[in-house]
Amino acid sequence: MPISSQSGRNRESGQTTHQPLNIQSMKDPMKYTDTTTSPPLLWLRFGPFGEHTTNASWVAVQELQKLGLGDEVDLYVYEIPVEYQKVLDLIPSLWKRHNPQLFIHVGVSGMATTVTLEKCGHNQGYKGLDNRCYCPDNHCCVQGGPDCLESIIDMDVVCNKITDPQLDVVISVSKDAGRYLCDFTYYTSLHLSHGKSAFIHVPPLGKPYTAEQLGRALQTIIGVMLGVLERPNAKMNCQMGH
């Protein structure tokens, strides 16, 4: 499983809640593996951006690595720079390299106060400048692509299945990942993976959660996601009427 992390913004509209470049080491990613022959998980985390000199998504992923995901998970972790063109270059190359069971992205949102499961990614509306002061001329991810793509993982089901009484973190579901690099990356990944991607937004450290709390939340969420991954008759084209 590949995993990534990134900084970004999140407009959390229509939420439901559940209560309590430089890819870093592109040639030698952080790998947590066993002898399983099942497809790997790819986890992508984002690098520093703007006010987020310490990216909470990266710190949360580090905590997850300490906790682990069980003996049957082959996990690769990468860092993605907050740059549109790097996203377009790296996501396809990582997918080709690993052909993962699931492509998971983790980003920090300065607006979030919950751990947020993003339902979908959007193709249009990218006008915010990246770390290189660039944005796409056409303000979109994939020319001619659908306006919105949804993960094959039902995020509402994932949220509702999280019942761990020890998980003192609020989990919510959003249908707007923010029209910045997080949303751009998610749509790009969903388009390439045919929906086998997920995006999790975490709030900045201490607002209100610790690194340890975020790591435990990621561990629980990913476990539930893997349990519902093989959802029958999954549809990618978003029907939520944005």
Side-chain angles (χ1 to χ4, degrees):
M1 171 193 283
I3 295 183
S4 83
S5 76
Q6 181 166 0
S7 299
R9 295 171 293 185
N10 180 24
R11 302 183 189 92
E12 301 194 5
S13 57
Q15 290 189 1
T16 60
T17 61
H18 178 272
Q19 300 287 344
L21 179 38
N22 240 342
I23 233 179
Q24 198 160 26
S25 202
M26 176 69 178
K27 294 182 180 178
D28 185 22
M30 284 168 284
K31 181 183 178 184
Y32 299 80
T33 186
D34 58 32
T35 57
T36 182
T37 57
S38 60
L41 301 180
L42 190 61
W43 193 295
L44 303 179
R45 68 186 192 277
F46 292 97
F49 171 77
E51 66 191 52
H52 303 287
T53 54
T54 299
N55 195 317
S57 67
W58 167 222
V59 177
V61 171
Q62 287 180 309
E63 290 298 322
L64 171 66
Q65 291 165 359
K66 295 176 186 177
L67 295 168
L69 287 171
D71 294 335
E72 297 183 354
V73 175
D74 195 356
L75 173 66
Y76 294 82
V77 179
Y78 291 92
E79 182 177 68
I80 297 184
V82 183
E83 301 174 21
Y84 291 104
Q85 193 55 54
K86 292 296 186 183
V87 168
L88 293 175
D89 293 340
L90 291 173
I91 296 297
S93 68
L94 290 175
W95 185 265
K96 183 177 180 180
R97 173 181 293 190
H98 296 291
N99 189 27
Q101 178 186 12
L102 184 64
F103 217 140
I104 302 175
H105 306 270
V106 182
V108 62
S109 167
M111 299 174 64
T113 57
T114 67
V115 174
T116 308
L117 313 180
E118 299 293 349
K119 294 174 71 75
C120 54
H122 302 87
N123 194 26
Q124 304 285 342
Y126 296 97
K127 299 179 181 180
L129 299 179
D130 66 12
N131 276 356
R132 292 187 174 272
C133 297
Y134 169 83
C135 72
D137 292 338
N138 55 10
H139 307 302
C140 80
C141 297
V142 179
Q143 192 70 37
D147 288 341
C148 183
L149 294 177
E150 188 174 356
S151 174
I152 64 170
I153 297 173
D154 189 323
M155 299 302 175
D156 291 309
V157 170
V158 172
C159 187
N160 290 332
K161 282 181 174 287
I162 297 174
T163 58
D164 185 350
Q166 302 301 316
L167 192 65
D168 51 348
V169 171
V170 178
I171 311 295
S172 67
V173 177
S174 166
K175 61 180 181 180
D176 187 352
R179 301 306 205 285
Y180 190 51
L181 263 296
C182 289
D183 207 344
F184 187 89
T185 301
Y186 195 21
Y187 184 94
T188 302
S189 185
L190 287 167
H191 188 269
L192 183 67
S193 68
H194 301 288
K196 293 193 294 182
S197 298
F199 201 110
I200 304 167
H201 263 124
V202 298
L205 288 176
K207 298 183 178 180
Y209 304 119
T210 65
E212 292 79 10
Q213 287 175 306
L214 293 176
R216 289 196 301 271
L218 291 181
Q219 182 190 44
T220 300
I221 290 166
I222 300 308
V224 175
M225 282 185 176
L226 293 177
V228 302
L229 181 60
E230 300 300 328
R231 180 169 60 123
N233 302 318
K235 295 181 179 180
M236 282 180 61
N237 290 332
C238 185
Q239 304 296 322
M240 286 183 284
H242 298 278

